[in-house]
Amino acid sequence: MSTVTYLEAIRDGLHEEMERDESVFLIGEDVATYGGAFGVTTGLKDSFGEERILDTPISEVGFTGAAIGAAMMGMRPVVEFQFLDFIACAFNIITNYAATTRYRTGNGVPMVMRGPMGGGVRGGPFHSQNPESFFFNTPGLKIVAPATAYDAKGLLKSSIRDNDPVIFLEHKYLYRRMKDDLPSGEILVPIGEGLVRKKGGDLSIITFGSMVHRSLEAADALEKEGIHAEVIDLRSLLPFDEALILESIKKTGKALIVHEATLTGGVGAEFAARISEKAFEYLDGPVTRVASLDTPVPYSPPLEDMFMPSTQIITNAARKLAHY
Amino acid sequence: MSTVTYLEAIRDGLHEEMERDESVFLIGEDVATYGGAFGVTTGLKDSFGEERILDTPISEVGFTGAAIGAAMMGMRPVVEFQFLDFIACAFNIITNYAATTRYRTGNGVPMVMRGPMGGGVRGGPFHSQNPESFFFNTPGLKIVAPATAYDAKGLLKSSIRDNDPVIFLEHKYLYRRMKDDLPSGEILVPIGEGLVRKKGGDLSIITFGSMVHRSLEAADALEKEGIHAEVIDLRSLLPFDEALILESIKKTGKALIVHEATLTGGVGAEFAARISEKAFEYLDGPVTRVASLDTPVPYSPPLEDMFMPSTQIITNAARKLAHY
Amino acid sequence: MAKASTSKKAPQKRSTTKKSQARPSDTLTAEQKLELFRWTLMTRKLEERLTNLYRQNKVVGGLYRSLGQEGETVAAAYALHKDDLVGPLIRNLGALLVRGYPARDIAMQYMARGGGPTQGKDLNVHFGDVHTHGVVPPISMLGDVVPVMVGIALAARMKGEKRVALTYIGDGGTSTGAFYEGMNLAAVWKLPVIVIAENNGYAYSTPTNRQMAVDSMVKKADGLGIFGITIDGNDILAVYDAVHEARERGLRDEGPSLIEVMTYRRKGHAEHDMQKYVPKGEIESWEKNDPIDRYIAELVKTGVATKEQLEAITQEVTTEIESEMEIALASPPPNPSITLESVYFDPPLAEDHLAPYRETS
Amino acid sequence: MAKASTSKKAPQKRSTTKKSQARPSDTLTAEQKLELFRWTLMTRKLEERLTNLYRQNKVVGGLYRSLGQEGETVAAAYALHKDDLVGPLIRNLGALLVRGYPARDIAMQYMARGGGPTQGKDLNVHFGDVHTHGVVPPISMLGDVVPVMVGIALAARMKGEKRVALTYIGDGGTSTGAFYEGMNLAAVWKLPVIVIAENNGYAYSTPTNRQMAVDSMVKKADGLGIFGITIDGNDILAVYDAVHEARERGLRDEGPSLIEVMTYRRKGHAEHDMQKYVPKGEIESWEKNDPIDRYIAELVKTGVATKEQLEAITQEVTTEIESEMEIALASPPPNPSITLESVYFDPPLAEDHLAPYRETS
Ligand SMILES: Cc1ncc(C[n+]2csc(CCOP(=O)(O)OP(=O)(O)O)c2C)c(N)n1
Ligand SMILES: Cc1ncc(C[n+]2csc(CCOP(=O)(O)OP(=O)(O)O)c2C)c(N)n1
Ligand SMILES: [Mg+2]
Ligand SMILES: [Mg+2]
């Protein structure tokens, strides 16, 4: 057992997989000598050399494309975007090349695309985004979003071993704020499996990433009022654990979906749509969503605080739904 | 009155707006001399010269960026993507530059991004996409999707006059298949307003673009069985006409959402989510979606036909919902 | 803005080796030189046959010809070794033949048949298998194959394998950021990537001088800090030589090469393109510079083969294509049941979502 | 892959004009030369003051310094005319001062105050108004400002206005496809776009020779078919001259210019960067090549001003910054109510979606 942060868990996961499998390598801006903008890859160059930890020119299409080519040849590249906002620059080659190649040719492109995402750190419009929805309508891609150090490590290792392209969303707000006691043995969290973080019978809060923690806070607050919320951490978004969601809704009859990305077109809409189609008979209240406001991510603290779902807002929405 | 195709309606709209407003210009690959891959811009170079109809090198980031810069200066550029699949190459500069500039600085970027999209023409994975969902979670953008020649012209003219960036989705399957008798006066279709294409009380089919026509066919078929479907053509996706949708659902109690993009993460999820939150009390059946299968767009006719929602499948889904 | 003009002269340079030095192609056996002839000819004949099928509405979608450019495509692919990798684009059908794909595969792709390499999921030359044929399957978005080839070369280096990665790109494609970012990576990492930059006068309707402000794509190589050369793309052995040398440079860790081949797209962008934008006489002038005619003359002049022998090969090729087309035409369309297959290695995600509505009414 | 080494010598070239010819900067009045001094100094002093505020936790987020590069930024902006447009990036704070934004604006941006030009919606130098100040607001994604400046120049040409568009880009930024696509457009269309390519040794931790395979960015200009020149970026008047000439070329419809300025980023990428990757002695050697020190020496030597006069200006600047900071510090944070404003020209789309849950519990 050792206590590690979310950030260290990712680094450890990378380290273990690179040791286990020679075909794993890391590619991105300032990942080798500098160890990455947030220090996720600190020390990896010392362990694995510049041959497997590659600093690149500033060229998101270039190095993502190179990862695709290497993956075709049987390597298992891990691509770091310095901030995940910059994955937007590689949107075309990811959705059109990486995502379609198995379907078209039978040969897949196993690769992981990872980097720091999310708000709450006063990063402004271009260093705070939640890009999951951009890729959510592209079959062939997988998307995971760990909320804890344990899942960060376990999902990263599974992503590296997965045979298809996986977008691995690291929430930078959690990098140093989340810690877990990790067992020394192998940790593997299967892609596609969610988890009930807190049991409850009055309503289901369906969430992932940073919002897991605010949702749990909200659930704790409501507990004191006698409202028992079940909190589901999806962990994977594509594919997501529809069965777990439906099972919970069938029990509670009420669904509150919470995410940090903006509301309109956020992935929460898909969860809501599935619930209202597949658990219609069980619903005792409107499927409710709490998400950031439909604006770019503002920078200044009072604005960003207004923009993002607070624990208070989640609590209020959950209470309202519970009393419905 | 004159009968024009969907494609001609777009050309006429461009022509009228360029005549009306000197700041409107067109930029894209092979739009001048060749008149565009589908001939949408045929003849415009003769009318307005190479100064206002600009052939570009193959550089989607370059010419989209140039349009953004020109728009900042008070011009009203219309960007053509040869196929709208290639808008993916400009994803970053559209979502990060065009979409955020008004919010950040107060000065907007009025521009239209248009091109042929959609399947059914055996275009394969890279010439058939429905890209609306890629941009649907980006506040600051607008998205419209005309289904008829009338709306193509009216929405294009409104898009050019709009003060913010608009993605204008032309369905290439409709280019020559759809015709309308257009009045000679000015046609302007407001962005954000949907339309009831067919009235009915048993269920609401909410759709847009190419699927409007299949949905109407389905509704006609059901009529003979005594099932009266109301067909709503949203026309605009961002913003979309939530009020019209809710009004219809309050009447019919049942919602069937139909679109051509693939299911998971498609924009239909958002409509479903809004309905299940805001019309919950009125629902008499599960909110149902019919959309393409979660795969890249396959090329061969039997595969593409399997992939896309057919009139038959829409009919079946609507019938099932009506009988719920 | 500058006026269009595409009447560029094809330069006479053939390789980096001096006149006096031996050229790599000098060591080709007569058999090999005839093989080169055979593939080039087969490219042309196959495309002609496809045009025929297109007119019969048997081709699904568009048809893209390489008429006048067959030589550079084939010669470049031929100069590679078995272990090397090649990423052909739409106008490089010939490279697929050189790499061992039978004509039927290409025809079945074009006709959207179930027996084709992608089973009808993707179209025309959009296929390839790095493991079985050393061929990288392209996508339509121009430029993207370049960084992918860089990754291929990178993977080979990481595994300690001596392999080069070659791709083709049009004059138009070299305007893309993907081309630039990919080439820059290859340049900085000195990877054995070879790019055949096909200066064929046009990108769709856009002439080369509206595509770039340089008068030679060698300048693009200079701008990247890599080796660049312009050669006569309709001189088959010159292309062979240039690629052979680029390959050796690559394997000596001297980095990528950009080989500009001066050639001409004698047909429109696709079969539907009427080429109205082409100045009068331009096509005709390039017909006189046909790569196959020139190669035939060269083979005869250098005594590699007689006209009769070449005629015999032509007959063989025609016969082979006919029997290939028969096989292709006999292939049925794909079974719709494969539509949901192979999106992932794992089972499909949403297998069931239209199933409830599939029962007939 | 090549080893890192950044000990490049700054070349001595100053402009395209021959030694014997008059240099554009020769015509600057003493007043103008002192104005140049003033802006350069103010850039340094303001950034020092911001560092101070950063240490006091008053700056929200990161702080990016241009220490050692202030001269090139200011001189380039100063060489423009009032009607021209400039697109500064993060290390070009000085350009904003030249363009008339008071120091308080930058400070309020850095401190996320409501009185700043973006009212706290965006950060640091991410602001600008083409209409009031001729400043193009950048975004973080490197390279993207380049095609946007191309569109600015294009719009000016369409309107028949004689205006040039200048932006800056780092050595790292020139690796992006956006840079390449934008410059290629400008090249083909011969638009008056000027790019100051700042070769400051690093992109974050990555040295220039791991960023590109060319030893001079002039080669990138050659690769695009545009004018390129390398100059000493710490020679303020040399930068002025080069931009002045580029501007004239642009207005003569001779197309874009790429001006590589050799300089050095003496601080880390941002304040938190400890520069462990920098070889010993490198920073110190560049301290001796400080643009302000050199300019002071030049002003004194050429009799434009005495040391005392320059000292007086320095005092003035310091005083001005102090009063500016007072104003900035007095600005309150923005009112949360503006969060939903100005997403569109039309009213916000989903004004109400969290409203029902905002009532306190
Ligand atoms: C990124 C991108 N933009 C646009 C297109 C549409 N398109 C297909 S081929 C073509 C012209 C290509 O010209 P060139 O690269 O010179 O190749 P050639 O056709 O001459 O062989 C264009 C514009 C595309 N495939 N990809
Ligand atoms: C497209 C993109 N990728 C990555 C980044 C992250 N990033 C910000 S600054 C920087 C280094 C920039 O180096 P350079 O262009 O040389 O400018 P300098 O910092 O030296 O002024 C990087 C990698 C970014 N802003 N944009
Ligand atoms: Mg071409
Ligand atoms: Mg730099």
Side-chain angles (χ1 to χ4, degrees):
Chain A
M1 286 283 251
S2 69
T3 308
V4 298
T5 62
Y6 184 98
L7 185 148
E8 290 159 348
I10 295 168
R11 186 193 297 145
D12 292 351
L14 284 170
H15 203 288
E16 285 177 22
E17 291 305 299
M18 289 192 69
E19 243 172 9
R20 189 188 58 79
D21 181 353
E22 278 215 327
S23 62
V24 180
F25 72 96
L26 190 72
I27 182 168
E29 287 152 11
D30 307 292
V31 292
T33 304
Y34 194 78
F38 285 84
V40 173
T41 60
T42 303
L44 293 180
K45 181 182 143 190
D46 295 337
S47 304
F48 302 103
E50 282 195 60
E51 292 70 36
R52 290 178 69 194
I53 312 288
L54 284 87
D55 276 343
T56 65
I58 304 176
S59 47
E60 278 72 13
V61 178
F63 62 74
T64 306
I68 293 170
M72 281 184 184
M73 296 290 281
M75 303 297 289
R76 290 190 172 257
V78 177
V79 180
E80 173 169 314
F81 294 92
Q82 199 156 79
F83 283 81
L84 213 47
D85 309 63
F86 305 138
I87 200 172
C89 301
F91 179 81
N92 164 53
I93 206 162
I94 294 170
T95 57
N96 284 310
Y97 223 136
T100 67
T101 297
R102 178 181 298 285
Y103 187 68
R104 300 183 301 127
T105 71
N107 288 323
V109 178
M111 61 191 281
V112 178
M113 289 158 279
R114 47 160 291 274
M117 54 84 90
V121 300
R122 318 319 185 185
F126 311 113
H127 289 76
S128 307
Q129 291 167 19
N130 291 266
E132 66 271 13
S133 70
F134 304 163
F135 299 97
F136 197 50
N137 194 213
T138 297
L141 298 179
K142 296 186 177 184
I143 309 174
V144 301
T148 66
Y150 184 98
D151 284 346
K153 182 166 179 184
L155 277 171
L156 181 68
K157 288 164 65 79
S158 296
S159 299
I160 291 173
R161 298 183 193 189
D162 198 89
N163 291 312
D164 288 300
V166 181
I167 296 175
F168 184 89
L169 305 170
E170 302 171 5
H171 205 298
K172 66 176 88 72
Y173 185 85
L174 306 179
Y175 268 158
R176 295 190 163 85
R177 286 181 181 86
M178 292 308 302
K179 283 191 179 76
D180 268 331
D181 291 331
L182 297 193
S184 52
E186 182 101 296
I187 297 177
L188 287 170
V189 173
I191 294 177
E193 280 188 19
L195 199 69
V196 175
R197 289 267 174 217
K198 184 183 171 79
K199 281 206 165 297
D202 294 335
L203 82 157
S204 308
I205 304 183
I206 295 131
T207 187
F208 59 91
S210 67
M211 288 296 137
V212 168
H213 308 289
R214 294 199 175 173
S215 297
L216 286 168
E217 281 169 29
D220 286 347
L222 289 168
E223 192 119 71
K224 290 173 198 135
E225 303 175 20
I227 296 171
H228 301 279
E230 179 145 306
V231 178
I232 292 182
D233 176 0
L234 285 174
R235 307 197 292 188
S236 290
L237 303 179
L238 193 63
F240 63 93
D241 198 338
E242 184 183 290
L244 184 71
I245 296 175
L246 296 179
E247 198 186 305
S248 179
I249 305 300
K250 286 177 185 171
K251 183 174 72 176
T252 64
K254 288 173 178 172
L256 174 68
I257 295 157
V258 183
H259 61 60
E260 194 190 297
T262 55
L263 183 81
T264 302
V267 296
E270 182 65 35
F271 312 142
R274 295 281 175 104
I275 291 166
S276 57
E277 176 161 0
K278 301 198 176 176
F280 177 70
E281 287 295 337
Y282 300 88
L283 285 175
D284 296 322
V287 179
T288 306
R289 286 179 298 161
V290 165
S292 287
L293 296 172
D294 281 339
T295 78
V297 188
Y299 159 57
S300 190
L303 308 187
E304 196 183 21
D305 291 342
M306 167 94 176
F307 165 82
M308 268 172 62
S310 63
T311 301
Q312 186 64 60
I313 293 236
I314 300 168
T315 309
N316 292 350
R319 182 187 304 109
K320 194 165 171 182
L321 184 58
H323 289 156
Y324 188 89
Chain B
M1 287 282 252
S2 70
T3 306
V4 298
T5 62
Y6 184 98
L7 184 148
E8 289 160 347
I10 295 168
R11 186 193 297 145
D12 291 351
L14 284 169
H15 203 288
E16 286 177 20
E17 290 305 299
M18 290 192 69
E19 242 172 13
R20 188 189 57 81
D21 181 352
E22 278 215 327
S23 63
V24 179
F25 71 96
L26 190 72
I27 182 169
E29 287 150 12
D30 307 293
V31 293
T33 304
Y34 195 77
F38 285 84
V40 173
T41 61
T42 303
L44 293 179
K45 182 182 143 190
D46 295 337
S47 305
F48 302 104
E50 280 195 61
E51 293 69 36
R52 290 178 70 193
I53 311 288
L54 284 86
D55 276 343
T56 66
I58 304 176
S59 48
E60 278 72 11
V61 178
F63 62 73
T64 307
I68 294 170
M72 281 183 183
M73 296 290 280
M75 303 296 290
R76 293 191 171 255
V78 177
V79 180
E80 172 168 315
F81 294 92
Q82 199 156 79
F83 283 81
L84 213 48
D85 309 63
F86 305 138
I87 200 172
C89 301
F91 179 80
N92 164 55
I93 206 161
I94 295 170
T95 58
N96 284 310
Y97 223 136
T100 67
T101 297
R102 178 181 297 286
Y103 187 68
R104 301 183 301 127
T105 72
N107 288 324
V109 178
M111 61 191 280
V112 178
M113 290 159 279
R114 47 160 291 273
M117 54 86 89
V121 300
R122 318 320 186 185
F126 311 112
H127 289 76
S128 307
Q129 290 167 21
N130 291 266
E132 66 269 14
S133 71
F134 305 163
F135 299 97
F136 198 49
N137 195 213
T138 296
L141 298 178
K142 296 187 177 183
I143 308 174
V144 300
T148 65
Y150 185 97
D151 284 346
K153 182 165 179 185
L155 277 171
L156 181 67
K157 286 164 66 81
S158 295
S159 299
I160 291 173
R161 298 183 194 190
D162 198 88
N163 291 310
D164 288 299
V166 182
I167 296 175
F168 184 90
L169 305 169
E170 302 171 5
H171 204 298
K172 65 175 89 71
Y173 185 84
L174 307 179
Y175 268 156
R176 295 189 164 85
R177 286 180 181 86
M178 291 307 303
K179 283 191 179 75
D180 268 331
D181 291 330
L182 298 194
S184 54
E186 183 101 295
I187 297 177
L188 287 169
V189 173
I191 294 177
E193 281 187 20
L195 199 70
V196 175
R197 290 266 173 217
K198 185 183 170 80
K199 281 206 165 295
D202 295 334
L203 82 157
S204 308
I205 303 183
I206 295 132
T207 187
F208 59 92
S210 67
M211 289 295 137
V212 168
H213 308 290
R214 293 199 176 174
S215 297
L216 285 169
E217 281 168 30
D220 286 345
L222 289 169
E223 192 117 72
K224 292 175 197 134
E225 303 175 21
I227 297 171
H228 302 279
E230 178 145 308
V231 178
I232 292 181
D233 176 359
L234 286 174
R235 308 196 292 187
S236 289
L237 304 178
L238 193 63
F240 64 92
D241 198 339
E242 185 184 289
L244 185 71
I245 296 174
L246 296 180
E247 198 186 305
S248 179
I249 305 300
K250 286 178 185 171
K251 182 174 74 176
T252 64
K254 289 173 177 173
L256 174 68
I257 296 157
V258 182
H259 61 60
E260 193 190 297
T262 56
L263 183 81
T264 303
V267 296
E270 183 65 35
F271 311 142
R274 295 283 175 102
I275 291 166
S276 57
E277 177 162 357
K278 301 199 176 175
F280 177 70
E281 287 295 337
Y282 300 89
L283 286 175
D284 296 322
V287 180
T288 306
R289 286 179 297 161
V290 165
S292 287
L293 297 171
D294 281 339
T295 77
V297 187
Y299 159 58
S300 190
L303 308 187
E304 195 182 22
D305 291 343
M306 167 94 177
F307 165 82
M308 268 173 61
S310 62
T311 300
Q312 187 64 62
I313 293 234
I314 299 168
T315 309
N316 292 350
R319 182 186 304 108
K320 194 166 171 182
L321 184 58
H323 291 156
Y324 187 88
Chain C
M1 293 156 207
K3 279 229 195 86
S5 148
T6 55
S7 53
K8 280 192 190 143
K9 293 249 159 46
Q12 296 311 308
K13 242 194 272 180
R14 301 190 80 161
S15 84
T16 41
T17 43
K18 305 226 176 63
K19 273 261 163 61
S20 54
Q21 285 181 296
R23 290 168 53 194
S25 58
D26 293 343
T27 66
L28 286 172
T29 62
E31 205 178 22
Q32 288 172 316
K33 284 185 179 165
L34 291 178
E35 210 172 14
L36 258 173
F37 172 68
R38 204 173 178 284
W39 294 131
T40 311
L41 193 78
M42 189 177 287
T43 306
R44 175 154 313 169
K45 294 281 176 205
L46 175 56
E47 286 191 358
E48 280 170 1
R49 192 64 179 81
L50 289 172
T51 306
N52 208 248
L53 292 167
Y54 175 84
R55 299 220 173 104
Q56 294 167 27
N57 282 318
K58 293 214 166 94
V59 163
V60 177
L63 180 71
Y64 305 80
R65 293 287 306 271
S66 68
L67 182 68
Q69 302 181 221
E70 302 95 336
E72 41 99 344
T73 296
V74 165
Y78 194 80
L80 297 179
H81 287 205
K82 195 171 157 295
D83 274 354
D84 296 334
L85 289 119
V86 62
L89 303 192
I90 189 73
R91 253 176 266 290
N92 310 113
L93 183 155
L96 294 167
L97 298 175
V98 174
R99 277 286 154 161
Y101 284 107
R104 76 187 79 163
D105 280 5
I106 296 159
M108 286 189 290
Q109 283 275 110
Y110 260 112
M111 295 191 291
R113 303 298 171 95
T118 66
Q119 302 177 279
K121 284 180 170 179
D122 203 347
L123 35 76
N124 54 56
V125 304
H126 283 197
F127 66 93
D129 189 314
V130 289
H131 308 297
T132 58
H133 290 72
V135 170
V136 178
I139 63 170
S140 295
M141 285 69 186
L142 290 167
D144 284 355
V145 177
V146 174
V148 169
M149 297 312 288
V150 173
I152 299 245
L154 176 67
R157 175 184 287 176
M158 282 178 160
K159 294 181 187 174
E161 298 166 353
K162 288 275 180 198
R163 307 165 82 175
V164 307
L166 178 144
T167 187
Y168 307 82
I169 194 159
D171 38 85
T174 66
S175 297
T176 61
F179 162 80
Y180 179 72
E181 292 194 7
M183 291 310 287
N184 186 53
L185 261 192
V188 172
W189 293 348
K190 291 206 173 295
L191 288 165
V193 172
I194 304 170
V195 168
I196 307 296
E198 302 174 310
N199 192 338
N200 65 357
Y202 295 92
Y204 214 135
S205 74
T206 305
T208 308
N209 67 351
R210 302 296 294 263
Q211 190 72 235
M212 60 188 79
V214 287
D215 52 13
S216 156
M217 282 200 265
V218 168
K219 298 214 173 121
K220 296 203 180 215
D222 295 343
L224 290 156
I226 65 172
F227 179 89
I229 186 173
T230 298
I231 59 167
D232 179 346
N234 289 3
D235 178 342
I236 288 179
L237 294 180
V239 177
Y240 177 89
D241 289 339
V243 174
H244 189 278
E245 288 164 2
R247 189 177 176 280
E248 307 237 298
R249 268 192 308 277
L251 295 181
R252 286 195 307 267
D253 286 334
E254 290 172 25
S257 295
L258 184 151
I259 301 170
E260 178 184 42
V261 295
M262 300 306 294
T263 183
Y264 188 78
R265 193 197 74 197
R266 268 157 50 198
K267 298 281 267 174
H269 172 63
E271 214 47 31
H272 67 263
D273 170 2
M274 292 303 136
Q275 296 177 279
K276 287 193 196 146
Y277 49 86
V278 174
K280 255 208 168 124
E282 193 177 86
I283 297 169
E284 294 70 17
S285 87
W286 278 90
E287 272 169 8
K288 294 186 194 113
N289 186 17
D290 182 72
I292 297 184
D293 292 348
R294 284 176 57 185
Y295 195 47
I296 289 175
E298 180 155 4
L299 290 174
V300 171
K301 197 181 111 193
T302 53
V304 174
T306 62
K307 279 218 161 146
E308 293 65 37
Q309 283 171 312
L310 297 176
E311 192 45 52
I313 294 175
T314 308
Q315 271 313 321
E316 263 171 57
V317 165
T318 311
T319 312
E320 181 177 333
I321 286 176
E322 270 329 297
S323 71
E324 285 287 314
M325 290 308 102
E326 255 171 56
I327 297 166
L329 283 161
S331 171
N335 189 319
S337 68
I338 69 162
T339 306
L340 269 162
E341 281 174 15
S342 290
V343 178
Y344 297 94
F345 179 84
D346 308 322
L349 297 183
E351 207 156 359
D352 60 335
H353 85 262
L354 285 184
Y357 314 121
R358 287 215 189 275
E359 70 266 45
T360 36
S361 63
Chain D
M1 292 151 209
K3 279 229 196 85
S5 148
T6 55
S7 54
K8 281 192 188 143
K9 294 249 160 49
Q12 296 312 308
K13 243 191 273 179
R14 301 190 81 163
S15 84
T16 40
T17 42
K18 304 225 178 66
K19 273 261 163 64
S20 52
Q21 285 183 294
R23 291 168 52 197
S25 58
D26 293 344
T27 66
L28 286 172
T29 62
E31 206 178 22
Q32 288 173 314
K33 284 185 179 163
L34 291 179
E35 211 172 14
L36 258 173
F37 173 68
R38 204 171 177 284
W39 294 131
T40 311
L41 193 78
M42 189 176 287
T43 306
R44 175 153 315 167
K45 294 283 175 203
L46 175 56
E47 286 191 358
E48 280 169 1
R49 192 64 180 81
L50 289 172
T51 306
N52 208 249
L53 292 166
Y54 175 83
R55 298 219 173 103
Q56 295 168 29
N57 281 320
K58 292 212 167 97
V59 163
V60 177
L63 180 71
Y64 305 80
R65 293 287 306 271
S66 67
L67 182 67
Q69 303 181 220
E70 301 94 336
E72 42 99 344
T73 295
V74 165
Y78 193 81
L80 298 179
H81 288 205
K82 197 171 156 294
D83 273 354
D84 296 334
L85 289 120
V86 61
L89 304 192
I90 187 73
R91 255 177 263 292
N92 310 112
L93 184 155
L96 294 167
L97 299 176
V98 173
R99 277 286 155 161
Y101 284 107
R104 76 188 80 162
D105 280 5
I106 295 159
M108 286 189 291
Q109 282 275 110
Y110 261 112
M111 296 190 291
R113 302 299 171 94
T118 66
Q119 301 176 279
K121 284 179 170 180
D122 203 347
L123 34 76
N124 55 55
V125 304
H126 283 197
F127 66 93
D129 188 315
V130 290
H131 309 297
T132 59
H133 289 73
V135 171
V136 177
I139 63 169
S140 294
M141 286 66 188
L142 290 167
D144 284 355
V145 177
V146 175
V148 169
M149 297 312 288
V150 174
I152 299 245
L154 176 67
R157 175 182 289 175
M158 282 177 161
K159 294 182 190 174
E161 298 167 352
K162 287 275 179 198
R163 307 166 82 174
V164 307
L166 178 145
T167 187
Y168 306 82
I169 194 157
D171 38 86
T174 66
S175 298
T176 61
F179 162 80
Y180 178 72
E181 292 194 5
M183 291 309 287
N184 186 54
L185 262 193
V188 172
W189 293 348
K190 291 207 171 297
L191 288 166
V193 172
I194 305 171
V195 168
I196 307 296
E198 303 172 307
N199 192 337
N200 66 357
Y202 296 93
Y204 214 135
S205 73
T206 304
T208 307
N209 66 352
R210 303 297 294 264
Q211 189 72 237
M212 61 189 76
V214 287
D215 53 12
S216 157
M217 282 200 265
V218 168
K219 299 214 174 122
K220 296 203 181 213
D222 295 344
L224 290 156
I226 64 171
F227 179 88
I229 186 173
T230 298
I231 59 167
D232 180 345
N234 290 3
D235 179 342
I236 288 179
L237 294 181
V239 176
Y240 177 89
D241 288 339
V243 174
H244 189 278
E245 287 164 1
R247 190 177 176 280
E248 307 236 298
R249 267 193 308 278
L251 294 180
R252 285 195 307 266
D253 286 335
E254 292 172 24
S257 295
L258 186 150
I259 301 170
E260 179 183 42
V261 294
M262 301 305 294
T263 184
Y264 189 77
R265 193 197 72 197
R266 268 157 51 198
K267 298 281 267 174
H269 172 64
E271 215 46 33
H272 67 263
D273 170 2
M274 292 304 138
Q275 295 177 281
K276 288 193 195 143
Y277 49 84
V278 174
K280 255 209 168 121
E282 193 176 85
I283 297 168
E284 295 71 16
S285 86
W286 278 90
E287 273 169 7
K288 294 185 196 117
N289 186 17
D290 182 71
I292 298 183
D293 291 348
R294 284 175 58 184
Y295 194 48
I296 290 175
E298 181 154 3
L299 291 175
V300 173
K301 198 180 110 193
T302 54
V304 174
T306 63
K307 279 217 162 141
E308 292 66 37
Q309 284 171 311
L310 297 176
E311 191 45 52
I313 294 175
T314 307
Q315 272 311 324
E316 264 171 56
V317 165
T318 311
T319 312
E320 180 176 335
I321 286 176
E322 269 332 296
S323 71
E324 286 287 314
M325 291 307 103
E326 256 171 56
I327 296 166
L329 283 160
S331 171
N335 188 321
S337 69
I338 68 162
T339 306
L340 270 163
E341 281 173 13
S342 290
V343 177
Y344 297 93
F345 179 83
D346 308 322
L349 297 182
E351 207 158 356
D352 58 337
H353 84 263
L354 285 184
Y357 315 123
R358 287 215 189 275
E359 69 267 44
T360 37
S361 63

